[in-house]
């Protein structure tokens, strides 16, 4: 299942529109690859941070990532096979786009879920 939880008037991010669009496409392609391999639910939320930034979280409930996998998640050579192949290239592209737009991206996980968090500056 997919759940979208956004404010009715989400704040606008400041950045290159084409790059930001490519960021979401690549992030969703990576998530789609994961969902095809394992049953899980996806929840996308936005959080208005006080310091002039907005966080967008993609929470995969039912997908846990090990410490070793977390350390390698932005490696463009990452490849996980299990009836599908997931390439780390999408994450590598996302990381560079976020960096170029003065943001950050990180992944946290426990045994039951993983969260991909993108933080970008808000439009003033």
């Amino acid at each position: 299942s997919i759940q979208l939880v956004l404010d009715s008037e989400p704040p606008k991010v400041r950045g290159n529109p084409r790059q930001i669009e490519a960021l979401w496409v690549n992030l969703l392609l990576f998530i789609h690859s994961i969902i095809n391999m394992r049953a899980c639910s996806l929840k996308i939320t936005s959080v208005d941070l006080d310091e002039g930034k907005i966080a967008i979280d993609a929470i995969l409930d039912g997908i846990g990532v090990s410490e070793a996998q977390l350390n390698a998640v932005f490696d463009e050579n990452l490849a996980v096979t299990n009836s599908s192949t997931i390439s780390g290239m999408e994450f590598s592209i996302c990381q560079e786009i976020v960096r170029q737009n003065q943001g950050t991206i990180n992944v946290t996980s426990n045994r039951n879920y993983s969260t991909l968090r993108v933080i970008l500056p808000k439009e003033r």
Side-chain angles (χ1 to χ4, degrees), residues 23-82:
L23 166 67
W24 304 132
V25 167
N26 280 285
L27 191 60
L28 290 172
L29 282 172
F30 188 81
I31 291 169
H32 182 264
S33 297
I34 293 169
I35 290 172
N36 279 342
M37 287 175 47
R38 294 180 59 190
C40 70
S41 63
L42 171 64
K43 181 177 181 181
I44 299 175
T45 65
S46 65
V47 179
D48 192 353
L49 303 175
D50 291 336
E51 59 268 6
K53 297 178 181 180
I54 183 167
I56 298 88
D57 293 334
I59 304 159
L60 292 160
D61 191 3
I63 302 285
V65 179
S66 72
E67 182 88 21
Q69 289 170 316
L70 280 176
N71 292 332
V73 75
F74 293 109
D75 180 358
E76 64 187 49
N77 297 316
L78 173 70
V80 177
T81 58
N82 183 4

Side-chain angles (χ1 to χ4, degrees), residues 8-24:
S8 59
E9 269 307 309
K12 295 179 181 176
V13 298
R14 185 178 72 236
N16 179 305
R18 287 187 180 170
Q19 286 183 326
I20 300 299
E21 183 177 325
L23 166 67
W24 304 132

